[in-house]
Amino acid sequence: IYLRSPFFLGFLSFCYILGGFPWALGSLTLPSFESHPSMQVYTQVMGLLTLLRELLGPGLFAKAFFTTQWILVTRPEDRDEFGRAFLRRGLLQQFIAGSCLTPIILAS
């Protein structure tokens, strides 16, 4: 398969839409059910998760799972190893620079 052919790119677009369509349809259909008014929160959460999945990709949920697993770990050695990985790759510096620049960019 030629990777830059219009057919292949159309196929990838179709698969991308097909992967997010059930989530979007579910979040749009959920309010039509006669349910308790507090169920509206679930509709909004499902819509937000759908948007995040479409914008950031399904890898976001895998990263969130592994991050949650690390946050709930009880052994200090495991937490220290994660911190050393951040310092080794320079991710901490990137995070600090990004957190300082984001308000400036959003405010301008």
Side-chain angles (χ1 to χ4, degrees):
I1 297 174
Y2 180 62
L3 294 181
R4 297 199 187 255
S5 70
F7 174 75
F8 185 68
L9 295 176
F11 177 71
L12 286 179
S13 300
F14 175 73
C15 289
Y16 189 77
I17 291 170
L18 191 64
F21 186 71
W23 292 98
L25 189 62
S27 66
L28 292 174
T29 309
L30 199 58
S32 66
F33 296 123
E34 298 293 328
S35 60
H36 197 268
S38 65
M39 289 294 288
Q40 294 297 324
V41 174
Y42 293 118
T43 303
Q44 294 170 355
V45 168
M46 191 171 180
L48 178 66
L49 288 175
T50 303
L51 270 172
L52 287 176
R53 185 186 182 280
E54 291 298 320
L55 291 175
L56 303 174
L60 169 75
F61 294 103
K63 292 174 189 172
F65 171 75
F66 288 126
T67 302
T68 305
Q69 189 177 12
W70 171 77
I71 288 172
L72 299 176
V73 75
T74 56
R75 289 186 26 204
E77 295 84 21
D78 294 337
R79 295 179 68 91
D80 290 343
E81 180 60 33
F82 191 77
R84 281 192 294 274
F86 262 97
L87 291 175
R88 185 171 43 243
R89 290 179 154 184
L91 293 175
L92 183 63
Q93 291 83 2
Q94 292 176 9
F95 173 74
I96 291 171
S99 63
C100 291
L101 290 176
T102 300
I104 295 169
I105 292 171
L106 291 177
S108 62

